[in-house]
């Protein structure tokens, strides 16, 4: 098969992995459902074009296996029997319509054109045909992908079928790598700067691909595959799509949209995650250091909180802080350990699930290598809520009464089939995983994949050449990976450098402050200080003692140097000369 050959001959390892995983999902689906029970939802878009070729390759391999021809099946003997459904809309681009029909004719697709809306169309289709599973070209990052897995039952209120999403974890870059490597035709709109296609009413070419042609004053656009940052894929989609994805930069860099606090101050909150800090075993050194850094760029820190390594504690704190502050910084609890719950806590605070992020995984692959493949975890899944393990000391792995088709291969579908028969999903089973750990060892812990999960739809990676792994930003929450002050210094410098090119953190006017020291008692200073606060409501006026009966230090802080000076003079004038002296 041409596609399989093109991928095998390519030296793009990442693409090979994506391809293999998708083919695995397709073959699994074809093993679970008969050919009459599956359908392919095709609309001429780039994602469904990728899926078409994957399905053809997957079906070819499936059929070759079925007829034991050891792959001898020739391309020319090959027909593609999977029913293909196309919801035609009057608002679709003519180029999309014509590409869909041309493609159907080139590849001999059995195209069912449906002119109803999705839901009614599916209801009618499922009534007329025995379809139980539909392949879709949905990818993580699509607004409709939220909450979906590779196999996801249709939503409540929709007719009942299984949504199969073989390219759920493909990135924009993967899609183009595939289409270009396999040299397959795609809709001409993508060569005119369209990067994701909705209807004629909501889609324009992506402005990020615009080349200004000064000669004839006309806008020209580069082809879609030249868009380097896939997160900007939907920048040409208007209305409906614009505000949905947190990954869309107009929103994710949205600090400018966040209301500045009542007094014109930008406020940040700091959350440290660490049982050890609460036990008193280690000090929270990053908090004070971060306060100084934020203060140096004119920000006010409203709170430093320390929370336990516990998802709910993190989630509660983040939820409370994110709406009350322009930015929240969180650190600690990051990594593969059981106590590393920060990212999950942030996801929970935003009410989204954790989803695999390939870009982050790619960074982690460079950092921690290829050791972890996660097979064991995949095998350790059982039908949820109905499974019981039957232990016996003579059995290395406990029994579940059924045999054959058990293991990590694509043809090992028995457990999934049982789950399906009971209408429940497969869920990880820790007990079984423990047995498998003893049996097949610890080589495959899937740590890297686990660490490469991010809150879905709201995460953005902040790259900087000086950082081995990018920082993570979930809307207005920045996750710092620093574990000591030196690492924090480096990460902070990178954040500030990124800010200069992309408005990440607003650099506010810096504070001006004066510190006055006095040996006057606090009883003597209390009233004049209260009056001073009323006179200068725009300034921060605070005091602290160096010891219970020792000198008092008064701080006057604000953004206007003249006001700070006036306030300190006013205070000094209320007392005898020499009662206060300024300290640094
Ligand atoms: C075959 C198929 C199955 C779908 N199943 C669901 C579903 O189960 N739940 C749901 O909310 N939307 C479902 N949708 C709708 C899509 O999630 C989504 O609304 C649509 O693709 C967005 O496209 P639009 O912007 O053109 O409306 C389905 C769409 C298709 C084509
Ligand atoms: N009108 C439609 N008819 C059939 N399937 C559709 C239709 N609209 C969406 N789909 C299904 O939903 C998937 C996701 O749609 P989406 O618009 O995100 O991707 P695409 O159209 O393939 O590519 P692009 O992101 O470039 O528009 C499609 O791949 C297809 O499987
Ligand atoms: Mg589309």
């Amino acid at each position: 098969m041409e596609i399989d050959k093109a991928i095998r001959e390519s030296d793009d390892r990442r693409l090979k992995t994506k391809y293999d995983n998708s083919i695995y999902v397709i073959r699994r689906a074809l093993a679970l459902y008969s050919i009459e029970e599956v359908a392919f939802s095709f609309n001429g878009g780039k994602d469904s074009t990728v899926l078409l070729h994957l399905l053809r390759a997957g079906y070819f391999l499936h059929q070759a296996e079925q007829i034991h021809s050891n792959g001898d099946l020739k391309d020319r003997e090959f027909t593609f029997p999977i029913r293909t459904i196309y919801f035609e809309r009057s608002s679709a681009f003519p180029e999309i319509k014509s590409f869909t029909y041309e493609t159907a004719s080139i590849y001999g697709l059995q195209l069912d054109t449906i002119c109803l809306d999705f839901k009614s169309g599916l209801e009618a289709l499922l009534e007329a045909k025995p379809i139980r599973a539909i392949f879709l070209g949905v990818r993580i990052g699509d607004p409709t992908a939220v909450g979906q897995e590779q196999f996801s039952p249709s939503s409540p209120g929709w007719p009942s079928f299984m949504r199969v999403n073989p390219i759920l974890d493909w990135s924009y870059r993967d899609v183009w790598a595939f289409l270009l490597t396999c040299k397959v035709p795609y809709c001409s709109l993508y060569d005119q700067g369209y990067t994701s296609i909705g209807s004629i009413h909501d889609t324009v070419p992506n402005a990020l691909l615009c080349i200004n042609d000064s000669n004839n004053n006309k806008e020209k656009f580069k082809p879609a595959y030249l868009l380097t940052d896939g997160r900007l894929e939907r920048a040409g989609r208007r209305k409906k799509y614009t505000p949905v994805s947190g990954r869309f930069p107009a929103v994710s860099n949205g600090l400018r949209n966040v209301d500045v606090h009542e007094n014109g101050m930008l406020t940040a909150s700091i959350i440290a995650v660490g049982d050890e800090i609460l036990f008193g075993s280690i000090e929270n050194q990053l908090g004070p250091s971060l306060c100084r850094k934020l203060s140096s760029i004119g920000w006010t820190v409203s709170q430093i909180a320390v929370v336990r390594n516990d998802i709910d504690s993190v989630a509660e704190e983040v939820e409370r802080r994110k709406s009350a502050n322009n930015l929240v910084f969180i650190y600690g609890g990051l990594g593969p350990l059981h106590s590393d719950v920060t990212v999950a806590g942030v996801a929970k605070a935003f009410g989204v699930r954790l989803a695999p992020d390939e870009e982050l995984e790619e960074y982690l692959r460079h950092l921690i290598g290829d050791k972890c493949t996660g097979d064991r975890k995949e095998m350790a899944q059982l039908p949820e809520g109905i499974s019981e393990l039957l232990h016996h000391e003579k059995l290395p792995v406990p029994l579940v009464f059924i045999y054959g088709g058990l293991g990590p291969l694509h043809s090992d579908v028995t457990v999934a089939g049982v789950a399906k028969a009971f209408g429940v999903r497969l869920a990880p089973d820790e007990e079984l995983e423990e047995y498998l750990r003893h049996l097949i060892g610890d080589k495959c812990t899937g740590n890297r994949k686990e660490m490469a999960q991010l809150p879905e739809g709201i995460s953005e990676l902040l790259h900087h050449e000086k950082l081995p792994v990018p920082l993570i930003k979930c809307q207005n929450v920045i996750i710092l990976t620093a574990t000591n002050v030196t690492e924090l210094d480096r990460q902070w410098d990178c954040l500030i450098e990124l800010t200069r090119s992309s408005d990440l953190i607003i650099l506010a006017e810096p504070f001006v402050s004066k510190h006055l020291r006095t040996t006057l008692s606090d009883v003597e200073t209390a009233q004049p200080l209260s009056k001073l606060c009323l006179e200068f409501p725009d300034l921060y006026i605070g005091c602290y003692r160096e010891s219970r009966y020792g000198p008092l230090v008064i701080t006057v802080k604000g953004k206007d140097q003249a006001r700070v000076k006036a306030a300190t003079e006013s205070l000094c004038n209320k007392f005898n000369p020499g009662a206060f002296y300024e300290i640094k």
Side-chain angles (χ1 to χ4, degrees), residues 40-43 85 87 89 91 118-119 122 125 134-136 138 143-145 148 152-159 161 163 197-199 202 237 240-241:
F40 161 43
S41 193
F42 179 60
N43 68 339
I85 51 175
F87 292 84
R89 280 154 168 203
S91 59
F118 290 140
K119 219 176 192 179
L122 288 168
L125 181 77
I134 304 181
F135 290 102
L136 288 142
V138 170
T144 57
Q148 288 209 56
S152 272
S154 50
S155 316
W158 283 69
F161 59 92
R163 287 177 288 181
I197 302 174
S199 79
D202 70 6
R237 290 275 199 121
K240 215 169 142 186
Y241 278 103

Side-chain angles (χ1 to χ4, degrees), residues 498-518:
L498 288 173
T499 290
R500 298 196 198 287
S501 57
S502 72
D503 277 0
L504 183 65
I505 303 176
I506 296 172
L507 300 179
E509 212 181 312
F511 286 106
V512 187
S513 48
K514 281 188 185 291
H515 305 279
L516 301 175
R517 201 165 192 218
T518 181

Side-chain angles (χ1 to χ4, degrees), residues 435-498:
Y435 278 98
L436 293 171
R437 202 167 65 77
H438 286 292
L439 205 68
I440 61 178
D442 241 341
K443 2 184 216 308
C444 317
T445 56
N447 274 346
R448 199 187 68 227
K449 285 202 188 276
E450 235 169 65
M451 280 167 71
Q453 300 213 69
L454 290 181
E456 189 175 49
I458 56 164
S459 302
E460 189 187 335
L461 295 181
L462 307 175
H463 307 270
H464 191 288
E465 54 187 14
K466 291 193 196 131
L467 297 175
V469 174
L471 299 178
I472 300 159
K473 181 166 172 288
C474 301
Q475 295 191 0
N476 65 334
V477 177
I478 295 185
I479 303 176
L480 297 168
T481 51
T483 56
N484 60 40
V485 173
T486 315
E487 288 169 6
L488 178 66
D489 288 348
R490 173 146 33 107
Q491 294 184 5
W492 180 259
D493 290 346
C494 293
L495 279 177
I496 296 299
E497 269 182 43
L498 288 173

Side-chain angles (χ1 to χ4, degrees), residues 180-396:
L180 299 178
T181 301
C182 298
K183 299 191 177 68
V184 289
Y186 53 81
C187 176
S188 60
L189 289 176
Y190 294 108
D191 282 335
Q192 297 164 34
Y194 289 82
T195 50
S196 173
I197 302 174
S199 79
I200 47 170
H201 305 303
D202 70 6
T203 314
V204 289
N206 192 323
L208 289 140
L209 293 171
C210 184
I211 329 162
N212 271 329
D213 188 351
S214 45
N215 288 340
N216 54 12
N217 230 357
K218 254 184 84 185
E219 277 184 334
K220 278 182 75 184
F221 293 88
K222 291 184 270 184
Y225 58 80
L226 290 180
L227 183 74
T228 43
D229 187 346
R231 283 171 288 206
L232 304 171
E233 174 181 352
R234 288 203 142 70
R237 290 275 199 121
R238 287 183 187 145
K239 296 173 199 154
K240 215 169 142 186
Y241 278 103
T242 314
V244 179
S245 159
R247 290 197 148 219
F248 189 47
V251 177
S252 59
N253 281 354
L255 267 181
R256 297 228 177 259
N257 306 332
V258 177
D259 286 342
V260 170
H261 254 233
E262 324 93 56
N263 52 6
M265 291 293 174
L266 287 158
T267 66
S269 192
I270 298 172
I271 306 173
V273 182
D275 290 337
E276 282 71 17
I277 302 175
L278 293 170
F279 287 139
S281 326
I282 60 163
E283 267 177 57
N284 178 17
Q285 290 178 334
L286 301 198
S289 173
L290 202 48
C291 283
R292 280 190 291 278
K293 292 179 192 312
L294 282 160
S295 193
S296 75
I297 59 161
W299 280 62
T300 302
V301 175
S302 66
Q303 208 218 18
I304 303 184
V306 183
V307 298
R308 293 179 41 222
N309 291 72
D310 162 71
I311 294 182
D312 288 331
S313 307
V314 173
E316 270 167 36
E317 198 60 35
V318 171
E319 197 172 355
R320 206 172 313 140
R321 299 292 148 210
K322 75 181 167 62
S323 44
N325 292 272
N326 301 88
L327 270 183
V328 177
F329 289 87
I330 187 165
Y331 52 83
L334 294 160
L337 306 176
H338 68 279
S339 53
D340 292 328
V341 296
T342 300
V343 177
V346 171
K348 194 164 178 194
F350 282 99
V352 299
R353 65 166 198 158
L354 281 182
D357 190 280
E358 288 155 18
E359 206 184 336
L360 182 58
E361 203 201 326
E362 192 62 23
Y363 278 94
L364 294 173
R365 202 167 66 75
H366 284 289
L367 207 68
I368 60 179
D370 244 342
K371 313 189 256 307
C372 317
T373 61
D375 272 358
R376 201 187 66 227
K377 287 212 182 265
E378 226 171 75
M379 282 167 72
Q381 300 209 74
L382 286 179
E384 192 175 46
I386 55 162
S387 305
E388 195 181 330
L389 295 180
L390 306 173
H391 309 266
H392 190 285
E393 55 190 13
K394 290 197 190 129
L395 295 174

